[in-house]
Amino acid sequence: MMRFTVVGGGAAGVLAAIHLRRHDPSAQITLIDASGRPGTGAAYGTSDPAHLLNVPAPRMSAWPDDPDHFCRWLNEHAVSTFEGFAPRLAYGR
Ligand SMILES: Cc1cc2nc3c(=O)[nH]c(=O)nc-3n(C[C@H](O)[C@H](O)[C@H](O)COP(=O)(O)OP(=O)(O)OC[C@H]3O[C@@H](n4cnc5c(N)ncnc54)[C@H](O)[C@@H]3O)c2cc1C
């Protein structure tokens, strides 16, 4: 069994961890983060829904082989975008 330790639980660390998990479901992955709120980091930790991403939602999928994933998630959770830009907190969720 492969073991991984990811230090830093912002977007990059969490996305690295989930890609490792998808690649090797049996891997043991430890995520170390100082914030207590893994996944949000500086960019997606806001609580204000008026703070929008600076990249359009169709280009924010975490899965290269499923580029519509984030847009589907927004629709399923009834999250509105503004001219194609989603709230930062939605990406954090
Ligand atoms: C205001 C702002 C807006 C942005 N908007 C966008 C956008 O709209 N679209 C886009 O694609 N990109 C955007 N970015 C770029 C964004 O930073 C990256 O997309 C991504 O969030 C960076 O992730 P990261 O994990 O590298 O860093 P961060 O998200 O900063 O995460 C770093 C993590 O490491 C942890 N950490 C730090 N030191 C330690 C330690 N010693 N031990 C353990 N944990 C530690 C912190 O607690 C934090 O959780 C934005 C950036 C900022 C600052």
Side-chain angles (χ1 to χ4, degrees):
M1 177 181 58
M2 296 288 282
R3 296 181 180 176
F4 300 91
T5 299
V6 179
V7 181
V14 169
L15 289 170
I18 63 173
H19 280 269
L20 282 169
R21 164 68 66 230
R22 189 190 226 196
H23 181 72
D24 182 357
S26 69
Q28 180 180 316
I29 303 167
T30 302
L31 182 70
I32 298 173
D33 185 63
S35 72
R37 291 187 63 209
T40 56
Y44 315 113
T46 179
S47 59
D48 186 340
H51 294 162
L52 302 178
L53 296 169
N54 56 25
V55 175
R59 288 175 34 210
M60 287 295 291
S61 174
W63 304 108
D65 59 348
D66 186 4
D68 296 331
H69 184 270
F70 183 49
C71 290
R72 279 202 314 278
W73 187 94
L74 292 170
N75 284 333
E76 288 163 7
H77 292 80
V79 178
S80 300
T81 59
F82 180 74
E83 295 185 356
F85 293 85
R88 291 177 176 284
L89 62 83
Y91 199 75
R93 283 175 58 199

